[in-house]
């Protein structure tokens, strides 16, 4: 399996399918690059080079004690881009991966990134504060941390209900829920715990303001994990060249009818 080794000795696993203009896919928490397999094949089938990595602490990459923060995630991605000598890059990020893509583009991607697509992404900032009253209270994230520590396996099974909107009647197969659990259980405990702070408390406001490439912002209208009012609806006001599409009734997890519609829109955006 292909890996790169970063300057701090972390092994980052990645997939590299097809050839053409590169598209890099960044996954959400608690998943890994397998979550993007359908989109990787879609990209490679349509003349793109599809690349997806497992973030440190996730999947097949090293389970590091340190570096489970957004700056390091973006730096790891930059080292992957350097190792593969990539340019004219399209970035695609879901949830936490949307934050990773935005930070990479703002801090490491000048002259190398052509366009960005996000889905259910965490920017500009998730946690509630006086300046972000639409955000999610810190107690919710404390609850996630407690769940990860107490019984991670059952916690991920329970979390899939709201992740995929099953509790709101969204049609997702039992297999999809099992896959969510499987990918979550491949993640290291320390990475799982630390990443909650990374995705919930990192402020991407200045990163978004710095972007000057086209950005397609997709968000489920019934996203219970990253509520749209504190995320996409604010992001579109901060970027210079953005397009927002809301998928009515769609959840946070990319599955079912939402995935089918989103993939059509992603392919159109990549080819535009």
């Amino acid at each position: 399996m292909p890996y790169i080794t970063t300057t701090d000795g972390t092994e980052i696993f990645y997939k590299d399918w097809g050839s053409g203009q590169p598209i890099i896919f960044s996954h959400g928490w608690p998943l890994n690059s397998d979550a993007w397999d359908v989109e990787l094949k879609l990209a490679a089938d349509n003349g793109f080079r599809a690349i997806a990595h497992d973030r440190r602490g996730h999947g097949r990459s090293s389970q590091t004690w340190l570096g489970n923060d957004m700056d390091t995630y973006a730096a790891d991605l930059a080292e992957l881009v350097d190792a593969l000598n990539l340019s004219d890059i399209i970035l695609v990020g879901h949830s936490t991966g949307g934050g990773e893509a935005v930070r990479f583009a703002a801090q490491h991607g000048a002259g190398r990134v052509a366009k960005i697509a996000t889905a259910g992404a965490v920017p500009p900032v998730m946690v509630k504060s006086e300046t972000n009253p639409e955000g999610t209270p810190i107690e919710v994230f404390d609850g996630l941390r407690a769940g990860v520590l107490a019984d991670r396996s059952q916690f991920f099974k329970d979390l899939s209900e709201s992740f995929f909107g099953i509790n709101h009647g969204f049609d997702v197969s039992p297999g999809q829920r099992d896959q969510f659990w499987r990918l979550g259980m491949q993640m290291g405990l320390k990475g799982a715990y630390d990443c909650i702070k990374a995705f919930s408390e990192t402020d991407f406001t200045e990163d978004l303001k710095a972007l000057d490439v086209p950005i397609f912002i997709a968000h489920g209208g019934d996203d219970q994990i990253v509520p749209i009012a504190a995320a996409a609806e604010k992001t579109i006001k901060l970027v210079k060249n953005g397009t927002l599409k809301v998928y009515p009734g769609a959840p946070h997890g990319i599955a079912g009818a939402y995935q089918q519609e989103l993939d059509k829109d992603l392919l159109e955006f990549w080819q535009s």
Side-chain angles (χ1 to χ4, degrees):
M1 294 189 292
Y3 286 87
I4 65 157
T5 302
T6 67
T7 52
D8 72 352
T10 301
E11 290 190 321
I12 301 294
F13 169 83
Y14 68 97
K15 303 179 182 186
D16 190 351
W17 298 356
S19 60
Q21 183 180 10
I23 304 178
I24 299 176
F25 295 82
S26 291
H27 63 81
W29 178 94
L31 308 174
N32 62 47
S33 60
D34 289 358
W36 281 121
D37 276 355
V38 171
E39 290 72 26
L40 287 164
K41 185 177 185 301
L42 176 68
D45 283 344
N46 283 276
F48 294 95
R49 182 180 178 184
I51 299 163
H53 63 294
D54 291 355
R55 189 173 300 115
R56 69 167 61 206
H58 298 65
R60 290 140 292 201
S61 292
S62 297
Q63 295 185 9
T64 57
W65 186 256
L66 300 175
N68 302 303
D69 58 82
M70 199 58 66
D71 284 341
T72 307
Y73 297 156
D76 289 346
L77 181 52
E79 292 204 46
L80 175 62
V81 166
D82 289 342
L84 299 181
N85 193 28
L86 303 177
S87 60
D88 195 27
I89 302 162
I90 300 172
L91 298 172
V92 181
H94 173 236
S95 193
T96 301
E100 179 182 83
V102 164
R103 178 137 298 181
F104 166 80
Q107 297 190 0
H108 305 278
R112 306 180 84 171
V113 174
K115 59 181 73 170
I116 304 166
T118 65
V122 297
V125 61
M126 283 192 72
V127 71
K128 184 177 182 178
S129 66
E130 290 185 4
T131 57
N132 187 38
E134 299 85 4
T136 301
I138 189 68
E139 290 80 10
V140 173
F141 303 112
D142 290 341
L144 296 181
R145 282 182 275 265
V148 165
L149 288 178
D151 185 349
R152 184 163 43 123
S153 182
Q154 187 59 48
F155 172 72
F156 287 146
K157 287 182 178 292
D158 294 341
L159 184 61
S160 67
E161 286 272 342
S162 55
F163 189 91
F164 290 114
I166 297 164
N167 58 337
H168 286 187
F170 197 80
D171 186 18
V172 176
S173 71
Q176 188 77 53
R177 295 185 66 181
D178 290 346
Q179 174 74 335
F180 176 85
W181 174 86
R182 183 182 75 85
L183 300 188
M185 291 306 295
Q186 291 178 24
M187 180 171 48
L189 179 62
K190 183 64 160 58
Y193 188 92
D194 289 356
C195 189
I196 295 168
K197 180 179 179 67
F199 72 65
S200 64
E201 297 182 38
T202 303
D203 190 339
F204 300 94
T205 300
E206 296 306 316
D207 301 291
L208 292 169
K209 290 179 179 179
L211 300 178
D212 57 7
V213 299
I215 176 168
F216 175 68
I217 303 158
H219 215 101
D222 191 29
D223 190 327
Q224 300 170 69
I225 306 299
V226 183
I228 191 170
E233 290 180 359
K234 289 191 171 184
T235 291
I236 191 62
K237 297 175 183 178
L238 293 169
V239 297
K240 299 179 179 70
N241 189 9
T243 301
L244 170 62
K245 180 167 181 180
V246 179
Y247 296 77
H252 185 65
I254 301 172
Y258 172 38
Q259 183 173 30
Q260 294 173 16
E261 186 177 359
L262 176 63
D263 285 356
K264 290 178 183 178
D265 292 335
L266 285 175
L267 181 58
E268 181 179 343
F269 179 67
W270 301 337
Q271 293 175 331
S272 64

